[in-house]
Amino acid sequence: MIFPQAPRFARSVFIAALAFAALAADRAPAQDAASPKLAPEPWAHEGSDLKPDPKAQWGSLDNGFRYVLLPNPEPPNRVSLRLYVASGSLMESDDQQGLAHFLEHLAFNGTENFPAGEMIEYFQRLGMAFGSHTNAHTSFDETVYKLELPKADKAMIDEGLKLFRDYADKMLMAEKEIDKERGVILAEKRDRDSADFRTFVEGLKFSLPDARITKRLPIGTEEVIKNAPREQFTSFYQDWYTCDRMVLAAVGAVDPAVIEPMIKEYFGSMVPPKERRAWPDMGTIEEGRGLVAKLHTEMEASNVTIDIERLKPWRERKDTKAEREKSLAAALAGHMLSRRFEILAKEEGAPFIGASAYVQSFLQFVDSAGIQVQCKPEQWAGALAVAEKELRRALLYGFTKAEFEEAKAKILNSYEEQARTAETRQSRGLADALVSSLGSNDVFTSPAAELDLAQEALGKLTPEACLEEFRGWWKGDDLNIFVGGNVKIESAPGAILEVWKKSGGEMVEPPEEAGGAEFAYQSFGDPGKVAEKKTVEDLGITQVRFANNVRLNIKPTDFEKNVIRLNARVGGGMLTAPAAQPGLPIIASATFDAGGLEKHSADELERMFAGKTVGVSFSVGEDAFEFGGRTSPDDLADELRLLAAYISAPGYREEGLRQFRRGIGVIYQQLKHSEMGVFQNEVTHFIHGSDPRFGFPAQDALEARTMDEVKAWLTPQLSGGYLEIGIVGDVDVDKAIELAAATLGALPGRAAEKAKPPKEASTLAFPDAPQSKVFPYESEIPKAMAAVFWKSDDIWDIKQTRRLNLLTSVFGDRLRLKVREELGEAYSPMAHNVPTEAFDGFGYLFALITVTPEQADSVAKVVTGIAEDLKTGGVTADELDRALQPMLSMLEQLRRDNGYWLRNVTAASQEQPQRLDWARTIEDDIAAITADDLSKLAAEFLGKDKAVTAIVKPE
């Protein structure tokens, strides 16, 4: 199976700045001058011929504590902090299973300097949102605490370091807090339970029956979660939270001369252990099993997954230039075989939905080569036979020159793009990548160095060298075949082995060399003339209308170096969907890209543009058909040619529909057997007035849709509908206009104005309130959802929309305090406002909580009670402040986000010019929101009498 890195059980953690007289805690005493020293663990680059990123500063303290400082300009005046602890579920004893993750929860339930019950609220006031600026995860071998500081001043960094030091050795772990958190942990365990997760666990046990990881899943056991005494928590904490196992990473607007003394001040006093604790016994990988198979049946699973694996004990190695070259060869081979599966899956009669090949190392314990296949339950035998033959074909005959050149071009382009965009990498992502390199003991190299290495390696690699490396991973007689999911196989596992052996006795031919082709859509006629052009000076947006009525909006930014984002809106989208063809928008969204162009299949396009950052994605929006894309300045011409070709000459090929139809059963299996599937389908349909455009139609209705229907619907819209394109990023305005004129501006004339839809098309009816409705579903997993809805409004009164969004932040925080913190009945309650753009006066507020079936009704009443309290009592000034400050902090980043400027402002700024004013007013308007504003909206929209409750629970 594809091993995760790893099933990480994340939760939000927060800091608070109120120092107080702490309760007694089991922790190490402060280090004095006579305390022992401990040599730090070596960095990965110290034993390698690879050089680390030159911008990073690597340091350590006398007690073994290490740190990495990485100045980074984007976003400005922000700092991402990480505290990496080499401690995870693998370190737990039998009676501690789950405590590594539980301890992560307790990190914000009281430390020496940060009291329980106050920290979230305190730091909300400083602009740190729950889950957005603070988080953490626990895995098999690590726990990582994360902070996104909204300011880079010394006082804020000081608070972050103070908190991390408290996490390191000053958690209180009061019994009251432990007992209160047990219900939250159990709720998280329940939330993550599913048929697919159970199948994964059984596959792990089959593959590695004698390995420690199968007995140490990070979420732990219910018995330990419910009953572990405090002594087990403190024992684990003292044993594994030691300074020699910790690394602090600070990325962003950090001045090493300022922050380094602060790190020494906070962490230099930690007392190191007398000796390092040994890595736990990882168990063994059973060798000599030969060919073995296992069936695990979960009839509620979404599909059947077949894992074919060759497992070996991990070959000890360091991250070096030579090892990276070997890894690159193996990765190329895996990519080429996966690409074969991708092409085969589109063929008529293909017995599988999708498949991929991989090689990987996991936890420095196991090396794995594998193929994972997804299929319908009745097709498991055919899918397994295809996997066997294609694996054998690759191992016998290798890969063609065309396959190799395509894979090489894609991989090289990915390295080139990383190097091109390195100057504006986001600190959050960099901090996560840095910590990931610590966990895998890899050298944290710069994008420029990685590109140099890739160019050198790819210059030497051949298809034969890739095959040799690939064969090395698959060498051996042991082979595991795991079939898991919604299938029953008589006489398994013998029947599974019989299919594999029978397939192995059939001949396979060498792969055929594919021919090359030139992109056929180089010219669209004479370049279009600019009929109108104006500049919105204060927002830096240039607006153009070509003579054919195609409209273009361009905003240059410096937020992402060498990145350009595009969005094209065509026609009327879902508003024009034919009522007599239910599910047509679903089919169109799912198959349009895979249908390719009239003169090129999707696979041919992928080969043609393998070495370029070019691609177009299609979706059916509420009020427009949308094309999205991401490219570079060098590839903008090709991107616009491809976009113009998809608008003027889409292929509507049957292979796209064939592949989607194979997965329809998977979709309806999820809709039938999962609480989220029922919510997204039946509840969504219900809350939109049972309009057939929302949710999914009956399965046979969806299967009846055809590509001819898609073509008949889209052709008049794409060929003549209103068309507006937004381009945002590292773009030259004059060059973009020139390229757009030669492509989109050269298309035949189009509608000058957006067609107004009929009133019935843009009308939705919210269900009558108050009412409560139960949505039963079939499942043995005891999970339910309590959802409560209130009608709100569409998006166009933007001042009201902004205030409703903030009101739901207050509502969500009250849910957290009541349902999670006080009652301990849910892990992640949420509240949102959903305004529509296309449907007059329609929108809704809702709260959603995953609970046990027995809790669903009572929790729904709690939710409506909170809403009633907001209606009658209003919002307090403190609640406003704690919701408003994180929103203002996020706005600062939003204004430096190309996605925001493209989707929210630029793309439709001629059709909807009010979006320009929205961009001008957003910060001042939100900052001016008062508690009275929110209280009035709560009185208008909330309350028990206006609530529509939906309970999703197993029959």
Side-chain angles (χ1 to χ4, degrees):
M1 68 175 47
I2 300 176
F3 296 111
Q5 290 294 335
R8 293 181 171 181
F9 294 87
R11 59 139 19 231
S12 296
V13 292
F14 277 79
I15 60 177
L18 297 177
F20 73 111
L23 299 173
D26 296 312
R27 61 181 185 273
Q31 184 180 10
D32 58 32
S35 295
K37 295 183 178 182
L38 188 68
E41 289 278 2
W43 301 106
H45 56 262
E46 292 177 339
S48 172
D49 54 1
L50 298 171
K51 302 300 181 184
D53 191 321
K55 294 182 180 179
Q57 179 174 316
W58 310 79
S60 61
L61 306 181
D62 288 343
N63 57 8
F65 186 92
R66 297 183 295 166
Y67 57 90
V68 191
L69 310 177
L70 181 59
N72 189 62
E74 197 63 41
N77 198 36
R78 301 285 176 118
V79 176
S80 295
L81 293 180
R82 301 290 184 268
L83 180 65
Y84 170 86
V85 186
S87 167
S89 59
L90 288 174
M91 287 73 182
E92 298 163 350
S93 62
D94 288 342
D95 48 6
Q96 292 176 332
Q97 293 182 65
L99 296 196
H101 168 243
F102 203 137
L103 195 63
E104 174 212 312
H105 277 239
L106 292 177
F108 83 109
N109 281 9
T111 65
E112 183 176 288
N113 290 295
F114 300 91
E118 297 181 23
M119 57 177 60
I120 293 176
E121 291 80 358
Y122 184 85
F123 273 83
Q124 284 173 333
R125 298 179 193 111
L126 294 184
M128 300 183 73
F130 186 78
S132 298
H133 296 99
T134 60
N135 220 317
H137 73 249
T138 301
S139 184
F140 287 104
D141 60 341
E142 67 183 30
T143 302
V144 180
Y145 297 97
K146 311 172 187 181
L147 289 175
E148 302 300 328
L149 302 182
K151 297 178 182 178
D153 58 50
K154 187 175 181 180
M156 184 65 77
I157 294 173
D158 186 81
E159 292 299 325
L161 296 180
K162 184 193 298 182
L163 176 74
F164 277 2
R165 172 57 198 268
D166 272 22
Y167 287 168
D169 67 352
K170 298 180 182 180
M171 292 190 205
L172 299 180
M173 293 175 280
E175 290 194 18
K176 175 185 174 183
E177 298 301 325
I178 291 173
D179 290 340
K180 187 177 74 171
E181 199 67 17
R182 295 186 198 273
V184 176
I185 303 286
L186 291 171
E188 181 177 0
K189 190 175 189 296
R190 179 184 64 243
D191 285 4
R192 299 183 185 278
D193 192 11
S194 69
D196 292 337
F197 179 70
R198 293 180 181 189
T199 301
F200 160 76
V201 172
E202 291 303 314
L204 193 65
K205 292 178 180 177
F206 168 65
S207 297
L208 299 169
D210 299 322
R212 186 178 183 86
I213 60 175
T214 63
K215 306 171 184 65
R216 291 294 184 273
L217 294 178
I219 194 62
T221 67
E222 192 165 318
E223 174 68 20
V224 171
I225 294 168
K226 285 182 175 179
N227 301 307
R230 181 176 183 273
E231 290 73 21
Q232 290 292 356
F233 291 86
T234 58
S235 175
F236 183 88
Y237 187 49
Q238 291 171 340
D239 287 344
W240 297 104
Y241 272 56
T242 54
C243 49
D244 60 305
R245 306 185 72 85
M246 296 180 180
V247 181
L248 180 117
V251 181
V254 294
D255 181 350
V258 173
I259 195 172
E260 193 169 21
M262 299 170 70
I263 294 172
K264 293 177 179 178
E265 176 186 352
Y266 273 109
F267 297 97
S269 60
M270 290 184 69
V271 177
K274 293 181 180 179
E275 58 183 12
R276 288 193 175 90
R277 293 188 67 87
W279 190 262
D281 183 359
M282 293 287 286
T284 60
I285 297 170
E286 185 177 346
E287 298 184 86
R289 298 171 79 181
L291 177 64
V292 293
K294 179 179 174 62
L295 169 69
H296 176 72
T297 299
E298 288 279 354
M299 295 309 293
E300 297 177 24
S302 54
N303 60 5
V304 173
T305 299
I306 303 173
D307 286 294
I308 303 156
E309 298 177 301
R310 184 89 73 197
L311 302 180
K312 301 176 184 178
W314 179 67
R315 176 179 62 84
E316 187 170 354
R317 51 193 179 270
K318 293 182 178 181
D319 185 18
T320 63
K321 180 179 175 181
E323 286 295 340
R324 289 200 180 185
E325 290 179 354
K326 290 168 66 69
S327 295
L328 189 58
L332 278 164
H335 177 89
M336 288 186 279
L337 183 50
S338 296
R339 186 79 173 94
R340 286 186 189 174
F341 285 125
E342 182 183 341
I343 295 169
L344 286 172
K346 298 173 186 175
E347 292 186 353
E348 185 76 48
F352 64 101
I353 300 167
S356 60
Y358 60 90
V359 295
Q360 65 175 354
S361 296
F362 184 55
L363 293 175
Q364 297 187 359
F365 173 68
V366 58
D367 285 340
S368 171
I371 294 173
Q372 188 173 84
V373 189
Q374 290 80 38
C375 65
K376 298 178 181 179
E378 66 272 18
Q379 293 181 324
W380 73 267
L384 179 59
V386 168
E388 187 281 328
K389 287 184 176 64
E390 292 308 315
L391 173 62
R392 183 154 46 93
R393 193 190 318 275
L395 291 173
L396 281 174
Y397 302 113
F399 306 100
T400 68
K401 181 180 179 181
E403 288 176 319
F404 176 73
E405 292 300 327
E406 177 185 337
K408 186 170 76 167
K410 286 180 180 178
I411 287 181
L412 181 59
N413 183 60
S414 70
Y415 281 106
E416 290 172 341
E417 185 174 9
Q418 289 177 38
R420 287 194 301 263
T421 60
E423 290 181 27
T424 50
R425 291 179 293 174
Q426 294 289 305
S427 294
R428 183 193 294 256
L430 266 178
D432 290 336
L434 182 53
V435 165
S436 179
S437 72
L438 296 173
S440 57
N441 201 32
D442 289 332
V443 180
F444 184 72
T445 43
S446 70
E450 289 171 3
L451 174 59
D452 289 343
L453 289 168
Q455 288 173 328
E456 182 181 348
L458 290 171
K460 296 184 293 186
L461 278 176
T462 63
E464 293 74 23
C466 293
L467 175 60
E468 181 181 359
E469 184 65 22
F470 195 60
R471 282 173 173 167
W473 281 85
W474 280 98
K475 185 177 181 181
D477 296 324
D478 292 345
L479 191 72
N480 302 336
I481 303 173
F482 178 80
V483 180
N486 57 337
V487 63
K488 295 179 180 179
I489 302 173
E490 190 174 344
S491 302
I496 298 171
L497 297 175
E498 183 179 345
V499 169
W500 180 267
K501 292 174 182 177
K502 180 181 177 182
S503 177
E506 298 170 359
M507 291 286 293
V508 293
E509 299 294 331
E512 295 183 6
E513 185 71 59
E518 293 288 330
F519 186 55
Y521 301 91
Q522 297 293 335
S523 175
F524 297 87
D526 294 335
K529 303 294 184 182
V530 174
E532 291 182 69
K533 178 183 177 182
K534 63 179 179 179
T535 301
V536 183
E537 296 288 351
D538 61 324
L539 298 179
I541 297 173
T542 299
Q543 296 181 323
V544 171
R545 181 177 65 84
F546 293 105
N548 64 351
N549 286 321
V550 169
R551 297 171 185 266
L552 172 66
N553 310 305
I554 309 166
K555 178 176 174 59
T557 73
D558 58 0
F559 309 149
E560 295 176 292
K561 185 71 172 175
N562 285 303
V563 174
I564 298 173
R565 298 183 185 272
L566 299 88
N567 178 259
R569 291 167 46 84
V570 191
M574 190 186 295
L575 290 175
T576 66
Q581 296 171 351
L584 194 60
I586 297 171
I587 293 290
S589 292
T591 63
F592 186 89
D593 296 346
L597 301 173
E598 288 179 353
K599 297 181 180 179
H600 301 299
S601 70
D603 290 319
E604 289 170 339
L605 290 172
E606 190 162 347
R607 282 194 291 271
M608 289 174 187
F609 294 111
K612 297 177 179 288
T613 306
V614 171
V616 170
S617 63
F618 172 85
S619 63
V620 179
E622 283 185 358
D623 61 346
F625 301 99
E626 298 195 45
F627 293 86
R630 181 181 185 277
T631 188
S632 67
D634 290 342
D635 294 331
L636 180 59
D638 283 322
E639 177 72 15
L640 289 173
R641 289 189 192 103
L642 185 61
L643 175 60
Y646 265 113
I647 291 173
S648 61
Y652 301 112
R653 295 166 185 265
E654 287 294 323
E655 57 252 36
L657 182 58
R658 282 198 299 265
Q659 190 172 19
F660 176 72
R661 280 178 171 163
R662 292 191 192 103
I664 286 178
V666 174
I667 295 171
Y668 282 87
Q669 183 77 353
Q670 292 173 326
L671 298 180
K672 182 179 180 180
H673 291 297
S674 74
E675 79 290 350
M676 184 55 74
V678 173
F679 179 81
Q680 292 176 337
N681 180 28
E682 296 180 42
V683 176
T684 296
H685 182 66
F686 166 67
I687 215 66
H688 288 86
S690 300
D691 189 293
R693 291 170 292 182
F694 294 87
F696 287 77
Q699 184 171 346
D700 59 353
L702 190 63
E703 290 173 337
R705 301 280 69 81
T706 68
M707 287 304 287
D708 286 341
E709 292 173 336
V710 173
K711 183 176 182 179
W713 178 35
L714 296 186
T715 296
Q717 298 284 326
L718 298 184
S719 61
Y722 179 89
L723 171 56
E724 187 167 354
I725 305 104
I727 300 179
V728 173
D730 191 359
V731 59
D732 178 274
V733 173
D734 292 337
K735 184 66 175 177
I737 294 173
E738 177 188 343
L739 295 174
T743 51
L744 299 158
L747 297 177
R750 317 183 66 85
E753 303 292 338
K754 186 73 170 276
K756 186 174 178 61
K759 184 174 179 58
E760 60 270 18
S762 58
T763 301
L764 292 174
F766 190 79
D768 293 336
Q771 70 164 299
S772 180
K773 185 172 181 179
V774 176
F775 296 83
Y777 72 103
E778 300 174 21
S779 179
E780 296 179 0
I781 297 174
K783 270 201 289 190
M785 279 184 166
V788 187
F789 297 82
W790 292 265
K791 185 179 183 304
S792 58
D793 206 346
D794 59 38
I795 198 173
W796 300 109
D797 182 347
I798 196 62
K799 291 174 72 72
Q800 175 181 269
T801 297
R802 290 165 177 165
R803 284 152 180 78
L804 285 172
N805 290 341
L806 198 62
L807 176 61
T808 56
S809 294
V810 173
F811 193 1
D813 201 51
R814 287 200 184 185
L815 288 174
R816 174 188 63 82
L817 289 167
K818 183 67 176 180
V819 181
R820 175 178 168 139
E821 304 298 344
E822 181 181 331
L823 302 179
E825 293 184 349
Y827 170 60
S828 185
M830 66 177 70
H832 292 289
N833 177 44
V834 183
T836 65
E837 297 183 15
F839 300 97
D840 297 336
F842 188 86
Y844 54 88
L845 300 164
F846 78 102
L848 179 64
I849 306 175
T850 301
V851 292
T852 66
E854 296 77 17
Q855 295 170 322
D857 292 317
S858 62
V859 168
K861 290 177 181 177
V862 170
V863 173
T864 54
I866 291 173
E868 184 69 20
D869 289 343
L870 278 169
K871 174 183 178 179
T872 58
V875 174
T876 69
D878 183 59
E879 285 180 316
L880 168 70
D881 191 44
R882 292 190 289 105
L884 183 60
Q885 295 308 318
M887 184 173 285
L888 292 174
S889 177
M890 285 187 282
L891 278 179
E892 292 179 19
Q893 288 188 275
L894 194 68
R895 302 285 286 189
R896 296 186 63 80
D897 182 273
N898 282 336
Y900 160 76
W901 284 105
L902 179 63
R903 301 282 306 193
N904 293 51
V905 183
T906 305
S909 62
Q910 294 189 56
E911 176 195 345
Q912 300 161 356
Q914 61 267 55
R915 291 183 177 275
L916 301 175
D917 283 332
W918 294 2
R920 295 182 178 108
T921 63
I922 184 170
E923 290 171 299
D924 289 343
D925 185 34
I926 289 178
I929 294 174
T930 67
D932 188 55
D933 290 340
L934 302 191
S935 297
K936 287 178 179 178
L937 288 177
E940 179 180 354
F941 289 103
L942 297 179
K944 293 181 179 180
D945 59 324
K946 298 175 182 177
V948 174
T949 299
I951 302 294
V952 180
K953 61 182 178 181
E955 292 179 305

